[in-house]
Amino acid sequence: MGASKRRVSMPGGQPRTGRRSAGGSGSGGSSRNELWHLLTEYCTPRRDCGVTLPSGPCGRIHVKDKRVQIIVERREYLQGSICSDKDCETTAEKVFYKHPEKRKAFLEDGRFWGQTNPALVAKIEKAFTDLVDEFASTVKPGKEENTEDLPVLYESCCAGHCDDLIYLFEFGKIRALDRYSKEEFSEVMSCYHGGQFVGHHMSFFMHHIVHFFIGTKLLLYNNVEKAPKLDRMYNRACDGQTFLPYQRKNLHLWMKDLDVTTEMCKAAFRCIYLYVYWRRKFEPYYDIETDRILELGNGERIDFWCF
């Protein structure tokens, strides 16, 4: 390895911060860090499951029937959380914990624990789409993010349009993206060349890229020293592309070399927001929040498919 590269383990300490690029080892500004904070919260669930009880604007327990009264009487730790305002309206349910501060450690026992928490998952999905939208909305037509022509080290698995488009995403070839015709766009978005396992090729590819970016950034944000093993699907193209073709040669340095890992994250994130930019060019009513290609989970849980 040349002198300009740093092969390091992920050091301990506070989450890193950075400048514009959300693909680096940190995101500039508290709003961009919100996604990683929420994901960390999701991956460090509380150790006790808590009890769900009626509540209102006060955030306290509304003892509205015999069932709730019995639950509170049997749990001493709940008795200090009862709402005494008889005019306080019951508007929702809230989970009350015996030890709210006690959480599982991040990657405890080498596992992503996660939790069934639709409200938190919705916040994470929104933070992710907001982050992608922020960058997609600032792309300037005709401006090249990368003017360097680099060799593509892979075997084509989609003779033509899909692989060509992935190349443009990976290297930020915005001028070439702007030259795409409506017919070429339709060809890519209707490509199901890979059989039942792959299905819709662009969905298949973007699924792998999104989860690589989310999973890797989350590890970097939490300064993980011993990373889980990356899914072997990333190591080669099968019937459909599973990773950025040029960056694939660097996967053996994933989470071993900080600089290389950061560059892979940047390239993956650039691919994601240029995909959104490209969709909007041809679909005036495209809605990033309803694009299933960018979904992280099933609405109740988030799955980390890259590990």
Side-chain angles (χ1 to χ4, degrees), residues 200-249:
H200 184 247
H201 189 210
M202 189 51 55
S203 299
F204 179 81
F205 168 71
M206 290 301 299
H207 168 85
H208 285 84
I209 296 302
V210 165
H211 282 271
F212 174 88
F213 171 68
I214 289 292
T216 304
K217 277 279 295 182
L218 185 58
L219 295 178
L220 291 171
Y221 181 79
N222 284 278
N223 300 303
V224 171
E225 294 188 8
K226 187 176 181 181
K229 190 174 181 180
L230 194 65
D231 192 294
R232 60 178 181 165
M233 284 290 292
Y234 287 96
N235 290 321
R236 63 183 180 87
C238 50
D239 289 339
Q241 290 293 352
T242 58
F243 195 55
L244 300 169
Y246 187 76
Q247 287 291 341
R248 181 174 281 121
K249 64 182 174 58

Side-chain angles (χ1 to χ4, degrees), residues 48 55 61 71 91 114 163 192 226:
D48 65 82
S55 185
I61 302 169
I71 291 174
T91 57
D163 285 340
Y192 287 82
K226 187 176 181 181

Side-chain angles (χ1 to χ4, degrees), residues 54-87:
S55 185
C58 62
R60 301 173 74 81
I61 302 169
H62 284 198
V63 183
K64 56 183 296 184
D65 54 38
K66 189 69 173 178
R67 181 189 70 87
V68 177
Q69 182 179 344
I70 292 173
I71 291 174
V72 172
E73 288 176 350
R74 291 179 176 177
R75 293 168 174 80
E76 185 177 347
Y77 70 91
L78 293 176
Q79 294 171 17
S81 300
I82 299 173
C83 176
S84 59
D85 185 353
K86 294 181 179 180
D87 295 325

Side-chain angles (χ1 to χ4, degrees), residues 23-37:
S25 55
S27 303
S30 58
S31 62
R32 293 177 189 167
N33 276 330
E34 180 186 10
L35 173 59
W36 316 115
H37 174 77

Side-chain angles (χ1 to χ4, degrees), residues 128-155:
F128 175 60
T129 55
D130 283 352
L131 182 65
V132 176
D133 180 62
E134 177 186 349
F135 280 75
S137 299
T138 59
V139 175
K140 295 181 179 179
K143 180 181 178 181
E144 296 285 17
E145 293 210 359
N146 188 325
T147 59
E148 197 176 359
D149 287 316
L150 296 171
V152 181
L153 308 176
Y154 71 101
E155 295 179 0

